[in-house]
Amino acid sequence: MTVAFKKPESLLDAKTIYCPGCGHGVIHRLVGETLDELDLREKTVGVAPVGCAVLLYDYFNTDIIEAPHGRAPALATGIKRVKSDLTVFSYQGDGDLASIGMGEIMHAAGRGENITIIFVNNANYGMTGGQMAPTTLPEQVTTTTPKGRKTATDGFPFKMAELIAGLDAPVFSARVKITDPKNINKAKKAIKYAFGLQKENKGFSFVEILSACPTNWGKTPAEAVRWVGDAMESYYPLGVFKDIGGEE
Amino acid sequence: MAEKILMKGNEAIAEAAVRAGLKGYFGYPITPQNEITAYMSARMPDLERAFVQAESEVAAINMVYGAASTGERCMTTSSSPGIALMQEGISYMCGAEVPAVIVNITRGGPGLGNIGPSQCDYNQATRGGGNGDYDLIVYAPHTVQEAVDLTYRSFEISEKYRNPVIILGDGALGQMAETVILPPFKEKGKTDEGWELTGAKSRDPRSVKSLRLAEGTLLEHNLHLENKFKLISRNETEYSYEEGAYDVLVVAFGTAARVAKTALKNFKEKGHNVGLFRPVTVHPFPYEELKKAASQSKKILVVEMNRGQMLFDVRLSVQNDEKIDFAGKPGGETFSPEEIENKILSCLK
């Protein structure tokens, strides 16, 4: 019998605590499949963020370290610098990466650390209950922007994939979404490419993934996915913003 | 024959760490410890070991946290305001039980303060400046040679207990040059204690974490950390004291103890009956040993380059405030031997 579909070996056989319609489950799977396919499971250390994905070690069948809020790229830098044979990735949310951890991500990218960053953008703080994130859209209602995010006082969202692409050192920066099978496949391709670059010692790779947070958005999973595809995507265009992975 | 050379304190500490098998140094410049970062920037890459000038002290300690989680010997160094920024990472490392060595070449504070030698970070080091119930092992060397020896040894102590170690120096120690005998090169060797993150090859995955959500698990972990520190207190408490029944027993650590030594030497030459009790580990503090020493002496004089931080521990130990006097010098300044002599004289009256 041909097995058409099975759990990646890089994931543990565990039930996640994520809300219905949350994107983390899909993204975990894509990273897990990637580690399997590139034969990296036994050489990987993942860095978990503070936030919904903090329990990464409950779901991944790889070594995992848990970082303080926003510091994952600094931990990843340390690990990679003393153990260059390991594959090191950080898995971070938007509050973690673009707010308190803006310094760490920009500098790890600026140094061109040979690591891979999985950046999950759901336009709010998920774990703490739906507050404004640096990625919250203008006019988006959150618990700390009850009348909608006002750019005059709250500022504009950060477009991280474009910011990273604007630096000299990174070799790959892209934005994908996981709203439907076609886009999930594209997301997988970007993630696999990013890990592949690290495996070939090419340098810093960054994948931003637009993902739904139905609970905090006050939407059904289906509505939330649609919102990713229209409101979020219109502000955060999909695409590859930098790819010099093939160049010498 | 052992190599005896003249070295500045900061550079000697750096070389001692290199010889102890340091694999990763992550730091950020701050006076008065810049020589360590500069020394490492050349020394570590030459030996094909990791050096990163981090973007901040916050990043530096987290690089250490990540790198040390692989089981390699790692270190950062800084000075007071920088160490304050590192408290987050230090708390996480204590919670996750990741060993590493952190050097604080203390300067005057609070805030930016100045760049003079100070002992004003005693409370921060011994009480834990970060969140949560945790303990650090804190060594307070008073000469460059002692700084070399303690730095060299601290990696193994740190690994033995899976607990960060702080070397608490100050600007005077870091900036002075003395002849030192450097220890031989050693390597940690390939050991696997069962917790290090090395890639889950042919074994179950491991995690290094400080989060313990399930009811009772953090309580259990906190009690484990408490028991660990009790063991550390039993095994690792160090002090220097020549037994005697003194008219005045000076209690001092680090540079203050060094100046006190000069003052006491002058007194002894004049026939006065004075002694010194010097904690080498200020945490764990030698409570019992000091209590015993103090019971034989008439007066206890605590001398510190701050407003009286170790004084609290001495009071806990001696439990007789009538006997205790204090000489403090805050503001990033050292004592002159005469200042300490005058204070001792007033105690002798």
Side-chain angles (χ1 to χ4, degrees):
Chain A
M1 194 176 74
T2 312
V3 178
F5 194 76
K6 66 180 176 80
K7 178 185 71 63
E9 209 184 319
S10 296
L11 292 183
L12 295 166
D13 192 9
K15 280 185 184 168
T16 69
I17 57 157
Y18 301 123
C19 303
C22 167
H24 278 311
V26 172
I27 300 165
H28 283 14
R29 180 170 179 100
L30 299 182
V31 174
E33 286 176 357
T34 294
L35 296 177
D36 279 14
E37 290 165 21
L38 296 177
D39 196 21
L40 294 173
R41 189 193 76 77
E42 294 186 331
K43 316 172 183 167
T44 290
V45 175
V47 187
V50 171
C52 294
V54 67
L55 302 175
L56 221 58
Y57 41 77
D58 281 347
Y59 310 133
F60 275 80
N61 189 17
T62 63
D63 283 0
I64 300 286
I65 186 169
E66 191 185 74
H69 209 155
R71 318 299 175 216
L75 272 80
T77 297
I79 297 166
K80 192 73 180 189
R81 289 291 186 114
V82 296
K83 293 276 193 195
S84 58
D85 53 333
L86 288 173
T87 291
V88 183
F89 74 94
S90 81
Y91 186 108
Q92 300 176 260
D94 39 16
D96 190 81
L97 181 137
S99 189
I100 195 168
M102 185 62 110
E104 282 76 12
I105 187 60
M106 294 309 282
H107 283 274
R111 285 189 302 267
E113 299 294 339
N114 187 33
I115 57 178
T116 301
I117 311 287
I118 303 299
F119 171 48
V120 182
N121 179 358
N122 64 12
N124 73 169
Y125 284 13
M127 177 67 104
T128 46
Q131 295 86 355
M132 180 180 74
T135 48
T136 293
L137 299 178
E139 301 307 325
Q140 185 182 339
V141 173
T142 71
T143 57
T144 51
T145 52
K147 294 180 179 173
R149 179 178 186 157
K150 304 298 175 202
T151 54
T153 49
D154 304 323
F156 287 86
F158 286 96
K159 295 178 176 173
M160 291 308 302
E162 289 88 332
L163 266 176
I164 298 291
L167 301 173
D168 288 340
V171 290
F172 181 67
S173 181
R175 183 180 293 117
V176 295
K177 63 176 182 179
I178 47 163
T179 49
D180 55 273
K182 188 179 157 198
N183 277 289
I184 289 172
N185 283 337
K186 280 187 180 173
K188 166 73 181 295
K189 206 175 150 196
I191 290 168
K192 192 170 173 180
Y193 183 67
F195 276 94
L197 289 170
Q198 182 180 167
K199 194 178 179 184
E200 292 164 25
N201 294 314
K202 291 281 174 64
F204 187 90
S205 53
F206 185 89
V207 182
E208 174 173 343
I209 303 160
L210 303 184
S211 180
C213 185
T215 303
N216 285 310
W217 293 350
K219 299 181 192 304
T220 66
E223 286 167 353
V225 166
R226 279 196 293 277
W227 196 77
V228 170
D230 46 51
M232 271 189 90
E233 195 181 332
S234 64
Y235 199 91
Y236 297 113
L238 305 184
V240 174
F241 300 97
K242 186 172 189 184
D243 181 10
I244 52 170
E247 291 179 14
E248 285 303 307
Chain B
M1 204 179 92
E3 200 178 348
K4 191 171 187 180
I5 56 169
L6 183 70
M7 277 191 104
K8 201 169 182 176
N10 281 334
E11 292 177 344
I13 287 170
E15 181 61 25
V18 166
R19 289 174 181 237
L22 187 72
K23 281 288 163 60
Y25 174 87
F26 307 89
Y28 185 80
I30 180 170
T31 307
Q33 64 82 57
N34 292 316
E35 293 84 0
I36 302 181
T37 316
Y39 190 92
M40 291 302 197
S41 69
R43 191 78 169 114
M44 294 292 279
D46 280 354
L47 295 167
E48 296 183 337
R49 303 180 188 180
F51 167 87
V52 180
Q53 180 173 324
E55 61 270 29
S56 68
E57 289 90 345
V58 177
I61 191 70
N62 280 291
M63 288 175 189
V64 170
Y65 177 25
S69 77
T70 68
E72 296 290 1
R73 290 193 170 153
C74 297
M75 177 166 98
T76 188
T77 63
S78 191
S79 181
S80 308
I83 296 287
L85 285 172
M86 291 182 180
Q87 296 304 325
E88 170 194 85
I90 293 171
S91 165
Y92 275 73
M93 289 167 74
C94 287
E97 297 188 272
V98 172
V101 175
I102 300 150
V103 178
N104 182 359
I105 300 298
T106 308
R107 58 190 263 178
L112 268 183
N114 62 22
I115 57 169
S118 175
Q119 299 184 320
C120 60
D121 292 350
Y122 179 94
N123 281 346
Q124 187 194 54
T126 60
R127 264 59 189 172
N131 61 301
D133 273 339
Y134 69 84
D135 293 278
L136 296 161
I137 303 165
V138 187
Y139 290 105
H142 78 313
T143 64
V144 176
Q145 183 67 59
E146 192 179 30
V148 164
D149 296 343
L150 290 174
T151 302
Y152 189 71
R153 192 149 56 84
S154 61
F155 288 93
E156 277 168 17
I157 301 290
S158 174
E159 285 154 12
K160 182 177 175 187
Y161 298 100
R162 285 182 60 189
N163 204 84
V165 169
I166 286 200
I167 305 290
L168 187 66
D170 63 53
L173 184 76
Q175 294 299 323
M176 72 171 68
E178 287 189 294
T179 54
V180 289
I181 295 170
L182 292 168
F185 278 84
K186 68 177 170 186
E187 287 200 28
K188 187 188 171 192
K190 291 204 187 309
T191 55
D192 185 7
E193 304 292 332
W195 64 272
E196 301 93 333
L197 307 184
T198 53
K201 188 172 173 61
S202 311
R203 60 160 169 80
D204 289 337
R206 295 170 180 167
S207 59
V208 167
K209 60 190 170 79
S210 58
L211 184 71
R212 283 166 177 85
L213 281 177
E215 195 180 339
T217 53
L218 185 58
L219 169 69
E220 192 185 330
H221 185 60
N222 276 188
L223 294 175
H224 157 69
L225 294 180
E226 185 186 0
N227 287 331
K228 180 166 81 174
F229 193 66
K230 282 179 183 162
L231 187 67
I232 291 169
S233 302
R234 272 201 301 281
N235 295 345
E236 309 300 338
T237 303
E238 287 184 44
Y239 60 97
S240 166
Y241 168 63
E242 197 178 314
E243 194 162 332
Y246 298 107
D247 292 329
V248 179
L249 179 66
V250 175
V251 184
F253 70 95
T255 295
R258 187 190 176 106
V259 181
K261 268 187 171 177
T262 307
L264 290 178
K265 188 165 171 278
N266 296 343
F267 269 104
K268 280 182 180 168
E269 282 166 5
K270 290 174 195 162
H272 288 296
N273 180 28
V274 288
L276 175 70
F277 187 98
R278 181 174 69 87
V280 174
T281 50
V282 287
H283 198 69
F285 190 83
Y287 289 109
E288 288 305 315
E289 296 81 357
L290 176 58
K291 187 180 179 181
K292 196 174 157 211
S295 70
Q296 299 177 56
S297 294
K298 289 179 188 160
K299 270 272 181 192
I300 311 299
L301 174 63
V302 181
V303 177
E304 290 181 86
M305 286 144 57
N306 60 39
R307 281 172 34 197
Q309 299 189 11
M310 182 179 68
L311 177 61
F312 184 77
D313 280 321
V314 175
R315 281 185 168 147
L316 276 178
S317 175
V318 176
Q319 295 187 17
N320 181 353
D321 280 2
E322 299 288 304
K323 274 175 99 165
I324 300 172
D325 203 346
F326 175 69
K329 189 146 194 184
E333 294 187 24
T334 45
F335 288 99
S336 66
E338 291 75 27
E339 284 175 294
I340 297 179
E341 283 178 43
N342 288 337
K343 191 72 189 180
I344 294 172
L345 277 174
S346 73
C347 290
L348 283 169
K349 278 174 191 165

